[in-house]
Amino acid sequence: MAQPIPEEELAAIEDAVRRHPGSVTAQQVASGLKYGPPLRTLQYRLKYLVDADRLVKEGEGRWTKYRLPPVEEGGKVIAGAAEIG
């Protein structure tokens, strides 16, 4: 059985995405992390965050970018953001 991903690592990925305006590539996220996981591990964690509606994926393959989901004025995340690509 797979081990759960530590929440602090997921939060660090979200913070790395948050620091860039617009959307970012996996390589840009990796460069913003202190612990620097292997690219495949980062891709798995990005997919986990997308599936949990914590990030939005745009594009496919090497053109894939990630961004934070839209937020309403009350601070609530708008769920069900469409995947572009």
Side-chain angles (χ1 to χ4, degrees):
M1 189 163 114
Q3 294 181 349
I5 302 169
E7 181 59 34
E8 55 272 358
E9 290 183 17
L10 296 174
I13 293 170
E14 288 178 306
D15 288 340
V17 172
R18 187 175 291 113
R19 285 192 294 266
H20 290 86
S23 54
V24 295
T25 64
Q27 289 79 12
Q28 289 172 313
V29 173
S31 69
L33 295 174
K34 292 180 183 175
Y35 65 92
L39 183 59
R40 185 65 191 120
T41 301
L42 178 60
Q43 289 170 335
Y44 173 77
R45 291 179 178 164
L46 287 166
K47 181 183 180 324
Y48 178 87
L49 289 168
V50 168
D51 291 345
D53 292 327
R54 291 171 65 176
L55 291 179
V56 176
K57 177 182 168 187
E58 301 174 339
E60 291 295 323
R62 62 192 240 180
W63 295 278
T64 301
K65 291 192 172 190
Y66 301 90
R67 64 177 173 81
L68 295 174
V71 179
E72 290 180 348
E73 286 183 26
K76 221 168 66 170
V77 173
I78 300 172
E83 213 177 274
I84 300 171

